[in-house]
Amino acid sequence: MATIEPKGTVHPASDFDPVKDCEALRKAMKGFGTDEGPIIDIITQRSNAQRQQIYKTFKSHFGRDLMADLKSEISGNLARLILGLMMTPADYDAKQLNKAMAGAGTDEKVLIEILTTRTNKEIHAINAAYKAAYHKSLEDHIKSDTSGHFRKILVSLSQGNREDGDADAERAKEDAREMCDASDADAGSKETRFLSVLCTRSYPHLKRVFQEYIKMTNHDIEQIIKEEMSGDVKDALLALVRSIKNKPGFFADRLYKSMKGAGTDDRGLTRIMISRSEIDLLNIRYEFKEMHGKSLHHYIEFNMQAETSGDYRNALLSICGGDD
């Protein structure tokens, strides 16, 4: 099966001049009132590495903290989006995970979305960022905030220890058989067997396992998870399977759900737009159009018109990077 190359929508600016960008940002925020236009244009049209350079240059040129200045000048969803773009990817993910577990109640959806879709390298960077920011390991926080098989899944994923490499045809048959046999086991044993395969094998190998599973049972593995699992365990395993099969499709579905119906899930929307902008947002746009018949750009521009500020919408459209 041909692999489609992941492509983002945000790329390094070719004529990048951090001093010029800093002067434009300072001018936009200086004095009475804020000119959001240049802030949106600069922050959304630079790569994350370039934004880190802008942050350092701003401090050395003006003796001011760019993040603090932005916080005082913009607010609401626009601030969440712009400030999120200014963070490194690992710091941003660490913050989202911490917020999902802080205070009363846990946002399981955020934990699932981030931990099921990040690469080993990304998970290792998140772990380091988490420890530096919160003086507690991500694993310890997960253990204290979750329970049962759901906790085991998240702890396993938070190790960033998934195998690399291609599919092993014989082993894929064995793994598929192991998961078939799990259907006859009790609930706890079944979940453990699914976890041991889904959380540790490489993505190409798991795609082969899913094919073997269909051959052996005439059922898609998603169907079995839906029928035989429940709660957060079901949600986590489904997210794993869907993101392994088609990660851009998984995120396209999440984006659609964040915008459909009354009220937008702005936190979910901004989280995906920020985190995938330099990785595979172009692929996500393609999947979105295939699934829903309208482009992601169209949805942001028209479906959200009544309930979002023009500046916030313009910033999202700039990250989206064009209509399809």
Side-chain angles (χ1 to χ4, degrees):
M1 194 188 297
T3 307
I4 298 167
E5 187 190 347
K7 286 182 182 168
T9 56
V10 174
H11 311 284
S14 53
D15 52 352
F16 178 55
D17 181 343
V19 175
K20 194 174 163 189
D21 282 349
C22 288
E23 286 168 350
L25 287 168
R26 179 79 182 112
K27 185 181 175 189
M29 295 185 282
K30 204 173 174 183
F32 183 74
T34 306
D35 185 358
E36 285 85 359
I39 296 173
I40 292 167
D41 290 345
I42 292 168
I43 304 299
T44 63
Q45 292 302 304
R46 303 293 180 270
S47 69
N48 193 272
Q50 289 175 335
R51 289 182 213 122
Q52 303 315 312
Q53 264 186 276
I54 290 169
Y55 176 78
K56 288 175 187 165
T57 305
F58 197 88
K59 191 165 267 188
S60 61
H61 263 63
F62 302 113
R64 301 176 68 93
D65 187 291
L66 177 57
M67 293 288 270
D69 278 8
L70 286 166
K71 268 181 199 169
S72 69
E73 295 294 331
I74 55 177
S75 60
N77 289 322
L78 178 64
R80 189 184 296 123
L81 184 63
I82 296 296
L83 292 167
L85 287 166
M86 285 300 303
M87 299 176 80
T88 66
D91 284 341
Y92 181 74
D93 277 347
K95 185 177 182 183
Q96 302 312 303
L97 289 165
N98 181 262
K99 276 169 113 171
M101 294 185 282
T106 304
D107 190 340
E108 292 85 2
K109 195 170 86 168
V110 175
L111 301 180
I112 291 168
E113 180 191 296
I114 294 175
L115 291 172
T116 59
T117 59
R118 301 309 190 250
T119 64
N120 285 348
K121 189 178 175 184
E122 287 165 342
I123 295 280
H124 296 157
I126 291 166
N127 276 314
Y130 202 94
K131 192 75 185 268
Y134 305 109
H135 313 293
K136 182 178 185 177
S137 75
L138 174 59
E139 181 183 336
D140 284 346
H141 204 160
I142 289 168
K143 282 178 177 173
S144 66
D145 218 66
T146 58
S147 60
H149 276 84
F150 182 55
R151 173 165 59 192
K152 287 179 186 172
I153 292 167
L154 297 184
V155 167
S156 175
L157 294 171
S158 74
Q159 305 310 300
N161 203 24
R162 186 179 289 285
E163 295 167 5
D164 292 319
D166 297 327
D168 176 329
E170 281 311 306
R171 192 176 175 214
K173 285 176 186 168
E174 286 170 27
D175 285 341
R177 200 167 292 113
E178 172 81 3
M179 294 166 92
C180 289
D181 294 345
S183 293
D184 301 324
D186 63 77
S189 172
K190 181 190 306 173
E191 288 163 354
T192 301
R193 289 189 198 183
F194 269 67
L195 182 159
S196 67
V197 174
L198 293 176
C199 294
T200 61
R201 307 291 194 260
S202 72
Y203 282 8
H205 181 78
L206 284 168
K207 285 179 180 174
R208 183 66 179 261
V209 172
F210 300 158
Q211 290 166 0
E212 294 297 338
Y213 190 90
I214 290 172
K215 284 182 197 169
M216 290 177 187
T217 65
N218 282 328
H219 291 297
D220 189 285
I221 197 141
E222 277 189 50
Q223 190 182 337
I224 302 303
I225 293 169
K226 281 179 193 168
E227 288 172 3
E228 301 194 8
M229 315 249 174
S230 61
D232 295 328
V233 170
K234 179 180 81 172
D235 292 343
L237 293 179
L238 280 176
L240 262 175
V241 169
R242 287 168 182 168
S243 66
I244 289 160
K245 284 181 179 176
N246 180 353
K247 197 176 284 188
F250 170 79
F251 280 116
D253 182 56
R254 290 268 170 147
L255 281 172
Y256 176 71
K257 283 174 179 164
S258 76
M259 291 184 283
K260 75 167 190 171
T264 304
D265 171 13
D266 290 296
R267 288 178 188 278
L269 174 60
T270 55
R271 188 174 59 249
I272 295 170
M273 295 294 282
I274 290 168
S275 63
R276 309 315 293 181
S277 59
E278 291 185 55
I279 299 174
D280 55 3
L281 191 52
L282 197 63
N283 311 72
I284 292 166
R285 268 172 39 186
Y286 171 79
E287 294 291 343
F288 193 99
K289 180 86 180 275
E290 286 287 297
M291 288 175 177
H292 305 295
K294 287 180 182 170
S295 68
L296 176 59
H297 191 282
H298 182 278
Y299 256 82
I300 293 169
E301 190 168 15
F302 296 106
N303 285 42
M304 297 172 59
Q305 208 157 27
E307 54 191 72
T308 57
S309 77
D311 289 324
Y312 170 51
R313 194 165 60 249
N314 290 342
L316 287 170
L317 289 171
S318 180
I319 297 167
C320 181
D323 205 350
D324 297 302

